[in-house]
Amino acid sequence: MARVAPPGVSLARFEAVEAAAAAALPGAIRPAEKACFRSHREAIATCHDGESPLLVLEDDVVLSARAFTADRLPPGEDWDLLFTDATLADPGLWIGLAKGRPALIAQDRVRIIDLAHARFASAAAYVVNGRSKARVLEALDAFERLDLPYDIALRQLVHAGRLRACLTFPFLTSVTALSGASQIQPGGNAADLISDAFRRLMFVDRDLAASRAEAEAIAAGCDEESRLVGMILGGVVSGQFQPK
């Protein structure tokens, strides 16, 4: 992060809460997930003073210098949380996003997506509005039990209207390939691998060669019909398909 952060940005590494220290907290989620929840809460509380926005990053995040451009932020009164990338659980949205990405890149623009009704997940990278720190902490502290992983708890708060959240696109951050080996979510499944591959492909500073290798590995596990459908949808994303 120090390589891409401009002058005037203060950097601090927050020591995460250990799973053993969080195990006794009430709730149904696993100790590692409780520790993640508390780590994020304590990081926000530690930087509570002042109205400067707070960028929270987990260790497995890749950051673009474009994330620090002031005009990337929507008006301050319109949001509490601004995610710089996320998993979107509706693959139907992926086609529209991928189709719109080239124009946004060419114009060096970022689209702001309202997450009020979106099925999103991930709290690997997000900005807390400086004016909303107290509101976010109050919302998190309202959970008497930790029954939901942190990112899903945030989604619940957004869907309930307790917090207002947006997403930048193209993504200004991404997750590394090592994110699949997270201690919080052990193991992996095809859905995680596919959604993370899409996140990396939509990153503003993406590595196309790495994304190609990921896509080929995913395609190798698909049946022939699925691969053919993917190729046809590629034509839609490319702009060749123009409805009459």
Side-chain angles (χ1 to χ4, degrees):
M1 181 173 175
R3 292 194 301 271
V4 298
V9 173
S10 177
L11 307 179
R13 183 177 179 85
F14 182 81
E15 193 68 31
V17 175
E18 295 290 339
L25 294 172
I29 56 177
R30 296 179 299 105
E33 293 172 317
K34 293 178 181 178
C36 175
F37 196 117
R38 292 302 298 180
S39 294
H40 279 268
R41 191 267 175 210
E42 295 307 317
I44 296 170
T46 299
C47 302
H48 180 264
D49 294 338
E51 292 193 355
S52 297
L54 170 66
L55 174 61
V56 180
L57 300 171
E58 293 186 346
D59 287 341
D60 56 356
V61 167
V62 180
L63 181 68
S64 171
R66 305 185 202 198
F68 293 100
T69 305
D71 62 6
R72 307 296 186 195
L73 299 180
E77 66 274 9
D78 292 342
W79 57 282
D80 300 309
L81 300 173
L82 178 67
F83 292 85
T84 50
D85 83 287
T87 293
L88 296 170
D90 181 3
L93 296 174
W94 298 7
I95 295 175
L97 292 175
K99 188 173 181 179
R101 185 184 184 279
L104 292 170
I105 292 294
Q107 299 166 19
D108 194 27
R109 291 195 302 114
V110 170
R111 176 185 169 192
I112 302 298
I113 301 171
D114 187 351
L115 293 176
H117 304 291
R119 286 189 62 200
F120 69 95
S122 179
Y126 59 96
V127 181
V128 182
N129 191 327
R131 302 174 185 174
S132 302
K133 294 173 187 174
R135 183 204 303 268
V136 172
L137 288 172
E138 181 182 0
L140 294 177
D141 289 342
F143 288 100
E144 297 180 357
R145 291 172 47 87
L146 302 184
D147 292 325
L148 295 172
Y150 181 66
D151 58 342
I152 306 304
L154 290 181
R155 184 175 73 193
Q156 184 182 85
L157 291 169
V158 171
H159 287 179
R162 292 287 306 277
L163 297 176
R164 298 161 297 178
C166 299
L167 171 68
T168 63
F169 186 83
F171 299 148
L172 301 178
T173 56
S174 189
V175 289
T176 69
L178 296 177
S179 65
S182 170
Q183 295 179 353
I184 299 169
Q185 298 292 347
N189 57 55
D192 290 337
L193 295 174
I194 293 168
S195 61
D196 283 354
F198 181 78
R199 288 167 71 178
R200 286 187 278 270
L201 183 59
M202 295 297 106
F203 178 40
V204 68
D205 293 335
R206 67 189 180 188
D207 180 342
L208 268 181
S211 287
R212 183 179 298 107
E214 285 190 290
E216 290 172 350
I218 292 169
C222 298
D223 59 72
E224 183 177 9
E225 181 178 352
S226 298
R227 288 194 294 272
L228 291 174
V229 169
M231 294 170 68
I232 293 170
L233 290 179
V236 175
V237 171
S238 73
Q240 296 180 52
F241 176 70
Q242 298 295 331
K244 295 180 180 180

